[in-house]
């Protein structure tokens, strides 16, 4: 789930970036000679909320940490990451966009490193389900 949450935003972003020119061609308004509002342009700022999946997966990973202070620091990272996920609502040339998107990237990188460390240290404890539905130690 951590890997799925990590990959959800970049995959969705790239798919939308690929589809955007085709959808813009469909939204050309011949009567006005310009482009009508595009569906992707309207909802694009809210796609950063897909980062909730990554934050939730990271939160589930922190449950593997036994020490309370480390767990609370990781929960603080999750909350901070979710708070700066609103950067796409601001115009791209604003200072708020630059500051929030940079903080979002930094927090995501920190969470990725910590999450990978947690997974690496707890590989024997993480179980996988085999084809018969029984748990098998990885």
């Amino acid at each position: 789930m951590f890997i799925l949450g990590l990959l959800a935003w970049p995959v969705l972003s790239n798919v939308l970036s690929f589809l955007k020119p085709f959808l813009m061609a469909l939204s050309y308004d011949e009567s006005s000679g310009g482009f009508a509002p595009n569906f992707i342009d309207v909802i694009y700022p809210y796609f950063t909320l897909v980062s909730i999946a990554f934050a939730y997966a990271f939160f589930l990973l922190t449950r593997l940490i036994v020490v309370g202070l480390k767990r609370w620091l990781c929960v603080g990272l999750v909350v901070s990451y979710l708070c700066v996920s609103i950067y796409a609502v601001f115009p791209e040339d604003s200072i708020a966009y630059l500051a929030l998107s940079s903080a979002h990237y930094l927090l995501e990188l920190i969470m990725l490193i910590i999450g990978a460390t947690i997974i690496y240290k707890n590989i024997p404890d993480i179980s996988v389900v085999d084809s018969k539905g029984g748990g098998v130690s990885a």
Side-chain angles (χ1 to χ4, degrees), residues 7-83:
L7 296 177
W9 168 241
V11 168
L12 183 63
S13 176
N14 286 324
V15 166
L16 289 176
S17 296
F18 176 75
L19 293 178
K20 192 171 181 175
F22 299 112
L23 294 175
M24 283 182 64
L26 293 174
S27 67
Y28 183 74
D29 187 12
E30 292 182 15
S31 62
S32 66
F35 290 102
N38 194 350
F39 179 68
I40 288 184
D41 290 334
V42 172
I43 62 172
Y44 188 74
Y46 304 103
F47 279 123
T48 56
L49 296 177
V50 173
S51 60
I52 292 172
F54 175 66
Y56 181 66
F58 182 75
F59 175 73
L60 292 177
L61 272 178
T62 60
R63 291 175 50 185
L64 294 174
I65 299 176
V66 179
V67 181
L69 180 62
K70 288 182 183 178
R71 180 179 294 176
W72 284 108
L73 289 174
C74 290
V75 169
L77 276 173
V78 169
V79 171
S80 302
Y81 180 74
L82 291 177
C83 288

Side-chain angles (χ1 to χ4, degrees), residues 69-135:
L69 180 62
K70 288 182 183 178
R71 180 179 294 176
W72 284 108
L73 289 174
C74 290
V75 169
L77 276 173
V78 169
V79 171
S80 302
Y81 180 74
L82 291 177
C83 288
V84 299
S85 292
I86 63 165
Y87 69 89
V89 176
F90 297 99
E92 288 186 16
D93 57 345
S94 69
I95 295 174
Y97 178 88
L98 180 63
L100 290 175
S101 65
S102 298
H104 187 264
Y105 179 74
L106 262 167
L107 289 171
E108 187 173 35
L109 188 61
I110 292 168
M111 289 168 61
L112 175 64
I113 291 169
I114 292 172
T117 305
I118 292 171
I119 290 173
Y120 178 73
K121 287 184 177 181
N122 294 300
I123 283 180
D125 299 334
I126 298 173
S127 63
V128 231
V129 177
D130 64 3
S131 61
K132 297 177 185 173

